Amino acid sequence: MTPNTRGYFGPFGGQFVPETLIPALDELEAAFADAREDETFQKELRLLLTDFGGRPTPLSPAERLSEELGGVRVFLKREDLNHTGAHKINNALGQVLLASRMGKRRIIAETGAGQHGVATATAAARFGLECVVYMGEEDMLRQAPNVARMHLLGARVEPVLSGSRTLKDAINEALRDWVTNVEDSFYVLGSVMGPHPYPTMVREFQRVIGDEARRQFLEREGTLPDLVVACVGGGSNAMGIFAAFLDDPSVALVGVEAAGRGVDTGLHAATLTAGSPGILHGAHSFVLQDANGQILPAHSLSAGLDYPGVGPEHSHLAATGRARYASATDDEAVNAFETLCRLEGIIPALESSHALAWVLREAPALPGGSRVLVNLSGRGDKDMDTILAYMKERKKS
C-alpha cells in the first residue's frame, strides 16, 4: 500500500527524528520518487540485480519436506542463492545506486546478523564508495565470519559497545553518524523500519522477491499459493514477498517472529505478538516496552531477529488483519534448521528457520493439499557456530 503524504500506514509510521535530519529525509524522499519514475535508473537496477546479484532466484518445491509433513505442499523462494547469501543485496544495491545518483560518496549502514552489512559493503565496493558499518559487539562475536567479509570488502566495521550491543544499538550509532555527516553521507537502512521514506523505499527495493515468486508460482502451479510465510525481525524479507500478494485475498500472509526462549519468559523478540504501539528509531510502530515506555531488550538466538521493533507497515497489516503474526522459539527454529538440512540438502539461515518452524508446527492443522510458499531469506553458513554451540548445550541438558 502507499502511505499518506506524512509517511503513515494507518496510524503507524511518520518521522520522529531530530530537526537536522528532516532536510535529508526530504531530499531522500524526492530522489527516491524521481528514481522510481526514471526508466534509466530502473533499467540499471534490473541489470545490477541480474548480472551482479544473481536474480532471478529459483522457486523450489520442497518435496521430501512436504512428504514428511503429509498433506501440505511446501515451496521455497530461494533468496539464499543471491550474491552474498541473502535477500539483503536487493535493497543494498537499490540504495547504493540511489546514493551514487545523489552524489553521496560515503555510505553508512548498521547490521545485526551481518548480512545487511556484507551486502552494503559489497554494493559500496561495486560503486567505489567509502563504507562504514555499525555493529553491536555481541553480534560481532556471533557473526565473526561476516565481520571478516566486510573487512575484505573494504568496509570499516565500528563496534557498538552501548546498551545490549546488538542491532538496536547499532541503529542508534548509525543515526548519530548520519546526523553529524548528513551533507556527504547516505544511510543505507537495512529493513522496512525507520522514518519515512525508508519503510516504503526498502519495501520497493525488496518487492522483486514477491513479484518473481508470484509469477513463478503461477507458471509452475497455474494458481497462487494458499499461504505465504516469512520470518519477521524488522520485516524486510516479509514485506518484500508480501507486497506482491496484498491484493490477493485468497492468499493468507503469515509473519513469524522470534519467541526466543518463550514469549512468557520475557526473553524474546516477538514485537507484534507481545509488544504495544510506541516510538523507536524514528517511526511509530509496535515495540517491546515497559509500562513507562522504556524500550525492553529483545532476545533471539538469531542475531537478525534480535530487535525490539518492527516495520510500521507490518503493524498496519496486523491491525487490519491482512496478515497474521505468530512466533517460533529458538528451539523450534533449530529443529526446523536440522529438518531442512536433512530432508532437502539446504542449510537455511536461522532467521528463515523461524518461518519453517511455524510451517512444521502448523502443517497438521492446515487443509490437505495446501500450497505453502516460504521465503528462504538467507543461507545458514553464518549461523553454524551459533547453532553448533546451541545443539551442544542442548545435549548436555
Side-chain angles (χ1 to χ4, degrees):
M1 70 174 292
T2 303
N4 69 17
T5 55
R6 294 183 299 133
Y8 281 87
F9 300 91
F12 302 107
Q15 293 178 331
F16 296 85
V17 295
E19 287 184 11
T20 50
L21 276 184
I22 295 297
L25 289 170
D26 289 345
E27 179 190 21
L28 177 61
E29 183 178 6
F32 174 59
D34 185 61
R36 284 180 78 177
E37 302 301 321
D38 184 346
E39 182 51 33
T40 301
F41 177 89
Q42 295 299 332
K43 182 179 179 182
E44 189 172 358
L45 179 57
R46 285 195 297 272
L47 284 173
L48 273 172
L49 291 171
T50 302
D51 298 344
F52 186 71
R55 305 204 71 86
T57 58
L59 176 73
S60 303
E63 294 178 351
R64 293 192 66 215
L65 177 64
S66 300
E67 185 178 345
E68 177 97 348
L69 296 176
V72 304
R73 298 179 62 203
V74 180
F75 299 81
L76 305 173
K77 181 56 176 167
R78 299 291 307 279
E79 291 300 292
D80 58 311
L81 296 180
N82 275 315
H83 179 41
T84 72
H87 73 292
K88 295 292 187 182
I89 193 68
N90 306 322
N91 172 54
L93 286 173
Q95 288 201 48
V96 171
L97 180 62
L98 184 60
S100 182
R101 176 185 172 98
M102 293 171 68
K104 307 288 186 181
R105 302 298 302 170
R106 180 173 180 269
I107 299 298
I108 306 163
E110 86 297 327
T111 193
Q115 290 302 99
H116 174 58
V118 169
T120 303
T122 298
R126 172 68 176 73
F127 282 84
L129 303 178
E130 179 186 356
C131 182
V132 180
V133 180
Y134 290 91
M135 190 171 190
E137 187 183 45
E138 173 70 17
D139 290 337
M140 290 181 72
L141 292 172
R142 290 193 283 188
Q143 300 292 340
N146 273 338
V147 175
R149 292 168 76 193
M150 285 183 269
H151 285 148
L152 282 171
L153 291 160
R156 191 173 88 237
V157 183
E158 286 287 343
V160 177
L161 309 179
S162 58
S164 58
R165 296 172 295 161
T166 57
L167 179 58
K168 173 178 73 69
D169 312 293
I171 295 172
N172 290 339
E173 291 304 318
L175 283 168
R176 286 191 187 100
D177 185 323
W178 197 30
V179 169
T180 306
N181 301 288
V182 72
E183 289 298 322
D184 69 339
S185 298
F186 186 107
Y187 179 20
V188 179
L189 213 161
S191 195
V192 287
M193 55 197 191
H196 175 70
Y198 278 106
T200 304
M201 184 170 67
V202 176
R203 179 198 66 194
E204 289 304 299
F205 285 138
Q206 292 290 6
R207 71 171 298 141
V208 64
I209 305 170
D211 289 342
E212 269 183 21
R214 192 177 189 281
R215 183 172 64 252
Q216 291 168 325
F217 213 96
L218 283 169
E219 289 172 354
R220 184 180 190 94
E221 295 294 306
T223 186
L224 294 174
D226 300 297
L227 292 95
V228 176
V229 185
C231 64
V232 175
S236 66
N237 90 94
M239 276 315 312
I241 197 164
F242 287 179
F245 296 96
L246 288 174
D247 295 329
D248 297 312
S250 67
V251 180
L253 307 175
V254 180
V256 185
E257 300 183 304
R261 298 180 188 174
V263 172
D264 55 354
T265 67
L267 296 172
H268 63 82
T271 308
L272 286 164
T273 304
S276 56
I279 306 294
L280 180 62
H281 294 142
H284 181 237
S285 189
F286 269 66
V287 298
L288 298 178
Q289 58 187 329
D290 64 18
N292 298 314
Q294 297 297 310
I295 300 300
L296 294 170
H299 168 80
S300 172
L301 187 64
S302 167
L305 300 182
D306 198 352
Y307 181 64
V310 68
E313 191 169 3
H314 282 296
S315 292
H316 179 64
L317 294 178
T320 58
R322 178 61 189 97
R324 170 187 171 191
Y325 294 86
S327 61
T329 64
D330 290 343
D331 217 35
E332 290 175 313
V334 171
N335 289 340
F337 171 89
E338 291 180 286
T339 300
L340 198 73
C341 290
R342 177 172 50 85
L343 293 179
E344 296 293 340
I346 297 171
I347 301 175
L350 257 178
E351 292 89 336
S352 314
S353 299
H354 285 73
L356 291 163
W358 182 89
V359 175
L360 266 59
R361 188 179 69 213
E362 299 296 326
L366 298 176
S370 294
R371 297 178 177 90
V372 182
L373 170 60
V374 180
N375 194 28
L376 207 67
S377 58
R379 68 182 186 223
D381 311 44
K382 66 184 177 58
D383 297 316
M384 290 306 299
D385 289 347
T386 300
I387 291 171
L388 291 175
Y390 185 86
M391 292 166 68
K392 186 176 179 180
E393 286 301 312
R394 190 164 62 178
K395 283 182 180 176
K396 289 181 183 175
S397 59

